[in-house]
Amino acid sequence: MEPNTDYEVIEKKARNRKRLSQTILYILLTIWAVLVCFPFYWMLLTSVKGYGEYNSEYIPRFFTLSPTLKNYADAFTSVPLGRYLLNTLIFTVITTALMLVVITLAAYAFARLEFKGKNLIFTLFLSLMMIPNELVIITNFATVTSLNLRNTFAGLILPSVTSVFYIYLLKENFAQVPDSLYYAAKVDGTSDLKYLWRVMIPICRPTLVTVGILKVIECWNSYVWPRLITDNERYYLVSNGIQEIRENGFGRENIPAMMAAVVIISLPLIVLFLIFREKIMSGVSQGGTKG
C-alpha cells in the first residue's frame, strides 16, 4: 500500500503545481488583456461623454451616467467624414485587388516558372526590403509628381500595388504545392494561368486571404503617403482626415467629438479582424511552414 500512497501524493502535488501555474498564467493574461483593451474602452467612453461633462472632470471617471450620441452626429455634420470614409474605401479596395493580382503572378513566376536569371532577380527583389522606406517615398513622390498624378486616386494607388514581402510569403507558399501536380497538369495541356487559377490559388487561399486582410489594414491606416501626395480635401483618407478634423473641424479642445470620429474610423478594422482572425493566423502559419 505504501508505494501506491507515495504515487498518489506525487500525482496530487503535480496536479496542484499544474493548477497553480495555470492560475498564474490566467491572471497574467487577464492583466495583459485589460492593459491592451483599456485604451479602446477609454476611447469609446470618451466618445459618449458630453463636451461639458468631459471638461468638468478634474479627475477622469471610468463611467458616465449620461451617455450621448451627439458626438457621432457631429462627426458626420461638422466635417465631411463620410467622404473621407468613401475615399478610403475606394483606395483600399482598388489597391488591395491590384496588389493581389500583381503579387500572385510574380510569386507564381518565381515559384514555378523557369527562366534565365530567376534566382538572381529574386535575390535582388529581396534586397529591396533593405532599402529604408523614406527613400522609396522620396522617389515615388518625384515620379508621381512628374506624371502630374498628385491629388488623384491613381497617384495614391500606384505606389502601393506591390510588396516584396508579400511576394516572398506567397512564393514560399506556392513552393509547398507538389511539383507532381504541375507536371500532371502540363501533360494534360493545362496552361500556366489555368493551373494557377484552378490549382494553386484554391490550395493557397488561406495565405491569399491573410495577405488581403493585412493589406486592407495597411491601406486603411496609411498616413504618410496620402498626406504627402494630396493637399486637396476631396482626396483625403480617414487617417489624414483626423488631422483635418482636429484643426478645422471640432477644434483641439473638443476631445469627445474627436474620439467619436476615431471610433467610427477604427470600427471597420476591428470588425474585420474579429471576423477573419482565425483565417489570419491560419494563413500566416501556412505561409511560414516549409515542407
Side-chain angles (χ1 to χ4, degrees), residues 150-277:
R150 289 199 67 195
N151 292 315
T152 64
F153 279 112
L156 282 168
I157 292 170
L158 287 178
S160 304
V161 296
T162 188
S163 168
V164 176
F165 173 74
Y166 290 148
I167 291 175
Y168 168 75
L169 181 66
L170 195 56
K171 182 256 184 187
E172 292 300 311
N173 202 196
F174 282 167
Q176 296 175 31
V177 179
D179 294 337
S180 57
L181 292 177
Y182 179 71
Y183 297 140
K186 298 303 289 183
V187 169
D188 291 338
T190 303
S191 65
D192 284 296
L193 287 178
K194 192 174 182 180
Y195 174 77
L196 172 64
W197 179 255
R198 293 193 175 182
V199 178
M200 301 288 275
I201 290 179
I203 292 176
C204 301
R205 184 177 289 115
T207 301
L208 285 168
V209 171
T210 300
V211 169
I213 295 172
L214 294 177
K215 187 63 177 180
V216 167
I217 296 174
E218 177 187 328
C219 291
W220 199 270
N221 292 327
S222 181
Y223 178 80
V224 176
W225 177 250
R227 189 69 176 178
L228 184 65
I229 208 65
T230 59
D231 53 20
N232 189 328
E233 191 180 274
R234 292 184 301 171
Y235 297 97
Y236 279 177
L237 306 184
V238 289
S239 55
N240 309 121
I242 286 293
Q243 185 68 24
E244 183 69 15
I245 290 170
R246 184 170 179 264
E247 297 293 339
N248 303 317
F250 311 129
R252 298 188 178 188
E253 71 281 355
N254 196 345
I255 302 301
M258 278 290 302
M259 288 299 172
V262 173
V263 169
I264 294 172
I265 292 171
S266 304
L267 189 60
L269 291 185
I270 295 174
V271 173
L272 182 71
F273 178 78
L274 291 177
I275 294 175
F276 293 102
R277 65 185 184 278

Side-chain angles (χ1 to χ4, degrees), residues 95-158:
T95 301
T96 302
L98 289 177
M99 190 211 67
L100 287 175
V101 173
V102 170
I103 69 168
T104 300
L105 294 176
Y108 178 77
F110 286 122
R112 279 289 173 263
L113 302 184
E114 294 296 333
F115 53 90
K116 189 175 181 179
K118 182 178 76 170
N119 294 332
L120 176 61
I121 295 174
F122 187 67
T123 302
L124 293 175
F125 253 68
L126 293 180
S127 67
L128 294 176
M129 297 176 63
M130 303 297 106
I131 300 176
N133 191 49
E134 291 76 9
L135 295 180
V136 177
I137 289 178
I138 292 172
T139 55
N140 286 340
F141 177 79
T143 303
V144 170
T145 302
S146 64
L147 295 174
N148 295 322
L149 294 178
R150 289 199 67 195
N151 292 315
T152 64
F153 279 112
L156 282 168
I157 292 170
L158 287 178

Side-chain angles (χ1 to χ4, degrees), residues 26-80:
Y26 287 137
I27 291 174
L28 293 176
L29 289 175
T30 300
I31 295 174
W32 180 252
V34 170
L35 292 175
V36 171
C37 294
F38 180 76
F40 295 97
Y41 169 75
W42 190 256
M43 176 179 68
L44 184 62
L45 174 66
T46 305
S47 70
V48 296
K49 288 183 178 181
Y51 176 75
E53 178 186 0
Y54 177 82
N55 286 286
S56 64
E57 294 179 351
Y58 294 101
I59 299 177
R61 290 185 297 179
F62 295 92
F63 62 92
T64 178
L65 299 177
S66 54
T68 177
L69 297 179
K70 182 179 182 301
N71 297 319
Y72 289 89
D74 291 341
F76 285 98
T77 57
S78 299
V79 292

